[in-house]
Amino acid sequence: MTMTMSNPASASPYLPRVATVAEACKFTPKEAWFRFEFADGQGIQYAAGQFMEVSVFGVGEAPISICSAPGKRGDLEMCIRAVGDVTNALHTLQVGQTVGLRGAFGNGFDMDKVAGKDLLFVAGGLGLAPCRSFILDALNHREKFRNVTILYGARTPADLLFTKDLEAWAQRKDSTFLMTVDRGDENWKGNTGVITTLFRKMPKVDPANTAAFIIGPPIMFKFAVLEALAMGLRKTSIYCSLERRMKCGLGKCGHCQIRNVYVCQEGPIFNYAEVMRLREGI
Amino acid sequence: MKTLEATKLADLAAALTAAGYRVIAPCQRGDQVHLECYQAGKTLRADVIPVNSAKDALFPRSEVIGRYRFEGNEFETVPVAPQAGKTVLLAVRPCDAAALAPLDAVFNWDYKDEFYNAHRDATTVVALACTAADDQCFCTSVGGSPDSTANADAVLRPADGGKRFILESLTDKGQAIAAAGQAVLTEGQAQADPPAQVAPAFDSAAVTAWAKDGFDSPLWKELSLACMGCGACAYTCPTCHCFDIQDEATRREGVRLRNWDACGFGLFTKHAGGHNPRHDQASRWRQRVMHKFAYFPERFEMLACTGCGRCGRLCGNGMSIREVCSQIEQAAQAGVK
């Protein structure tokens, strides 16, 4: 809530601020990228890992992770998969049209907490969206960290998201980027296989001094965590983002509750030791 | 002391209505008794525990929490002030009044919910001490009692064998009720009737202790087998407070609604993408019980159950949290994990 309150609030925390679609780009038939600008011109401050409740007026509201670099800015980006009423309606929006945004909600993550460490990012599928916020933050402040390794897995080459970013990351000399697809096609010359196969291809990390950010579907998280633990990473140095059907974002409505924790407030970023205690987390 | 003839409860409701209160009282509706707004001609029943709980007055089942207008691509959100008129909860049970503590806790622990608090501030609680209990009552097992005055502004105590009530004011709000109802109250002496005997049903501390390590217990499957997932228990529960946010719109304007929801519904945690962290009724029942007896105490240091027994009275399949907790206590005693 602290982070929310630092932002210009609408009159009620249940009502969104109005924002316009400044840019939009269809990544795949199901996933589109949007850049939203706030109509009140007051901008927003958010941390990596935070999310917002996105309203399509007349349709409803859905919780979506922010995928742009954190900080204080006039806009923000989201990558949205069309799966429900709200997200399908979002996909019909054109540049210049209006949405509502409430937040930012959640604990977010201050990358300074892992300054001086090796960073390992493991993103599966749409998990690249929230993970991108962390990655961009790390690459924008590259000098703060030691080795940076980014692993990304998608189902097929056609499912790859943020392809411009992927190319840019692959070009960088100061970090390692590896990606894989579960199934290639006739033009695919890269890695094939599930994301855990990349763990064997990446440069060695110093396990006692590495922070891992593993964000993806539950099944990927389970196996990627096993790999990270096998490498010797500490449970408290493995971070993930818990997806929940958050409704209010204010720690009231109960939807995101896991045990005595409100994910919309105390999450969605948890370390693996916390996730194990929560049990229902993944 | 101030007394009220038992036959004059409706007269008190009428006097309070005339004084500008919205009076929520146990009203006869068909063959049931509901806590609802008193109107002239309605019969009040102090002898039956109403089907619904008093939370309806503080946390309505559907409430407009915002509006918006749109004209082409021009959108405007319109804040809505809570519609919270001066209200008295007249002759609600001590278990209803007790439920205000967990509701206050959750609606104020971080963001102070303007809608709940507006209703709460505008509300006066006049509890009715219980002199009879039914076989679903278990307030004494969860820290309450049939004559508890916790969270009450005034209390009506049945007296002289049920012939009249003694009205005791406990707060300034309670004094205001006594003043507003003066015309129907009498100054006199009366002998309070003994409170109801509510036999202990289970040891809540034992349930909480078992629940600490009980997350993986196979018992949840068995305990939840009869659950149809209808959500009636949550809707009738005085402490259940989960809600959904829904927008309803016509072409030019819309409302944002806060509607009751229930953790027993399969859709409650289901993601748009299909994944459901609580994928079966056993995990949803576990959530219901654990929330009330383990998670809520961990977070807010109080139980989220007041022993009103409504869930048991209403369940179409005869389930109740009272019964489930008794079984958990037995399992704990038998050393079953």
Side-chain angles (χ1 to χ4, degrees):
Chain A
M1 199 61 199
T2 331
M3 289 188 176
T4 313
M5 294 316 272
S6 69
N7 283 311
S10 76
S12 159
Y14 290 115
L15 282 177
R17 292 166 67 198
V18 175
T20 53
V21 179
E23 284 183 85
C25 171
K26 210 137 197 165
F27 283 159
T28 75
K30 277 285 180 195
E31 282 114 357
W33 168 88
F34 297 90
R35 190 169 66 78
F36 298 116
E37 284 175 356
F38 287 92
D40 59 17
Q42 292 202 59
I44 182 157
Q45 180 157 15
Y46 62 86
Q50 285 197 287
F51 70 96
M52 301 201 79
E53 292 283 350
V54 184
S55 291
V56 179
F57 292 97
V59 180
E61 211 176 36
I64 312 274
S65 301
I66 303 171
C67 72
S68 40
K72 191 166 172 50
R73 4 184 330 163
D75 62 356
L76 58 84
E77 300 166 29
M78 290 176 172
C79 178
I80 298 168
R81 178 178 287 168
V83 281
D85 292 344
V86 175
T87 48
N88 271 299
L90 279 162
H91 271 233
T92 68
L93 293 181
Q94 307 293 319
V95 169
Q97 285 193 284
T98 320
V99 296
L101 294 174
R102 287 198 300 131
F105 294 121
N107 56 358
F109 187 85
D110 180 1
M111 292 296 280
D112 281 342
K113 274 176 32 184
V114 291
K117 288 183 187 264
D118 286 351
L119 302 184
L120 169 62
F121 298 101
V122 185
L126 189 56
L128 182 60
C131 202
R132 179 175 180 258
S133 196
F134 293 85
I135 294 170
L136 294 178
D137 200 18
L139 296 180
N140 287 346
H141 304 96
R142 183 65 190 84
E143 70 287 352
K144 287 188 188 170
F145 311 100
R146 299 197 313 177
N147 299 323
V148 173
T149 307
I150 305 164
L151 310 182
Y152 172 46
R155 282 190 179 148
T156 72
D159 293 312
L160 293 170
L161 307 172
F162 298 101
T163 46
K164 276 187 196 151
D165 286 324
L166 304 182
E167 281 166 31
W169 298 342
Q171 299 291 320
R172 287 184 78 115
K173 300 274 185 282
D174 62 355
S175 50
T176 304
F177 173 69
L178 295 172
M179 66 174 166
T180 182
V181 294
D182 294 352
R183 293 180 309 280
D185 59 19
E186 60 273 23
N187 298 318
W188 181 253
K189 296 191 176 61
N191 296 305
T192 53
V194 293
I195 195 164
T196 44
T197 58
L198 295 180
F199 279 84
R200 279 173 270 296
K201 296 176 180 164
M202 61 180 244
K204 282 227 170 333
V205 297
D206 170 10
N209 211 2
T210 297
F213 298 85
I214 303 179
I215 307 180
I219 187 77
M220 182 219 90
F221 180 79
K222 279 181 190 166
F223 286 100
V225 163
L226 291 178
E227 293 288 338
L229 293 173
M231 272 164 46
L233 262 71
R234 295 186 180 130
K235 288 182 187 123
T236 49
S237 297
I238 300 171
Y239 298 93
C240 78
S241 177
L242 292 189
E243 241 183 77
R244 279 297 178 275
R245 184 183 177 151
M246 292 104 164
K247 280 285 182 174
C248 72
L250 302 164
K252 310 273 179 250
C253 79
H255 282 261
C256 71
Q257 208 182 18
I258 310 176
R259 299 188 79 110
N260 65 344
V261 164
Y262 289 104
V263 175
C264 73
Q265 296 276 312
E266 286 117 327
I269 308 303
F270 294 97
N271 71 46
Y272 185 58
E274 293 168 325
V275 171
M276 282 177 69
R277 187 189 76 79
L278 292 175
R279 302 301 310 277
E280 265 181 343
I282 299 293
Chain B
M1 64 179 62
K2 292 204 182 332
T3 63
L4 173 74
E5 293 305 303
T7 53
K8 290 194 168 172
L9 190 57
D11 293 350
L12 178 59
L16 297 176
T17 304
Y21 285 94
R22 174 177 69 133
V23 179
I24 305 293
C27 299
Q28 181 89 43
R29 192 204 284 179
D31 57 0
Q32 292 183 331
V33 175
H34 287 245
L35 279 174
E36 60 188 27
C37 189
Y38 172 79
Q39 285 164 343
K42 284 195 182 178
T43 305
L44 297 193
R45 292 282 300 271
D47 58 329
V48 179
I49 295 169
V51 174
N52 59 330
S53 81
K55 84 172 171 199
D56 306 26
L58 301 157
F59 171 50
R61 65 181 61 190
S62 187
E63 182 168 32
V64 175
I65 56 171
R67 293 182 184 279
Y68 48 90
R69 287 193 284 263
F70 44 110
E71 185 74 48
N73 193 32
E74 293 298 308
F75 291 88
E76 186 190 9
T77 57
V78 187
V80 167
Q83 300 294 303
K86 193 166 75 162
T87 296
V88 56
L89 302 177
L90 181 64
V92 296
R93 302 298 174 137
C95 48
D96 273 317
L100 298 178
L103 292 179
D104 286 349
V106 80
F107 282 111
N108 286 290
W109 76 269
D110 186 57
Y111 165 61
K112 298 191 174 6
D113 189 275
E114 60 174 318
F115 291 90
Y116 174 80
N117 284 305
H119 293 300
R120 180 78 165 95
D121 293 345
T123 297
T124 303
V125 180
V126 180
L128 168 69
C130 296
T131 50
D134 69 17
D135 57 2
Q136 293 291 346
C137 289
F138 62 99
C139 59
T140 50
S141 303
V142 287
S145 68
D147 57 350
S148 165
T149 58
N151 306 315
D153 296 297
V155 59
L156 286 166
R157 294 188 194 282
D160 299 342
K163 286 197 187 69
R164 51 191 61 86
F165 300 105
I166 300 166
L167 177 67
E168 275 174 39
S169 302
L170 306 165
T171 66
D172 290 348
K173 277 181 171 177
Q175 296 280 3
I177 294 296
Q182 206 169 7
V184 294
L185 297 169
T186 324
E187 198 66 41
Q189 290 302 311
Q191 181 66 45
D193 295 334
Q197 295 291 317
V198 182
F202 58 87
D203 172 8
S204 70
V207 174
T208 301
W210 181 88
K212 261 190 172 43
D213 297 315
F215 189 88
D216 292 313
S217 173
L219 209 55
W220 295 116
K221 268 223 151 61
E222 197 182 315
L223 292 174
S224 65
L225 275 178
C227 180
M228 303 177 287
C230 73
C233 51
Y235 280 24
T236 196
C237 175
T239 73
C240 273
H241 51 265
C242 287
F243 61 83
D244 192 12
I245 296 176
Q246 290 288 334
D247 289 357
E248 284 179 3
T250 56
R251 250 185 92 212
R252 293 227 165 83
E253 57 187 4
V255 290
R256 176 153 289 182
L257 296 165
R258 165 153 91 183
N259 299 329
W260 287 354
D261 209 340
C263 61
F265 294 150
L267 287 178
F268 187 74
T269 50
K270 191 173 180 185
H271 299 178
H275 178 66
N276 193 346
R278 287 189 211 120
H279 59 278
D280 61 4
Q281 208 56 31
S283 60
R284 301 193 270 270
W285 243 92
R286 174 177 62 198
Q287 170 65 17
R288 178 168 177 74
V289 177
M290 297 278 267
H291 188 204
K292 291 179 180 304
F293 288 89
Y295 310 153
F296 208 87
E298 273 175 48
R299 186 166 191 115
F300 297 114
E301 296 177 343
M302 63 179 93
L303 297 171
C305 174
T306 66
C308 72
R310 288 190 174 90
C311 51
R313 286 183 207 103
L314 206 59
C315 179
N317 254 350
M319 290 181 76
S320 82
I321 216 156
R322 174 183 181 276
E323 182 60 29
V324 165
C325 286
S326 304
Q327 288 182 38
I328 288 175
E329 190 198 8
Q330 285 166 23
Q333 282 171 355
V336 177
K337 291 272 185 213

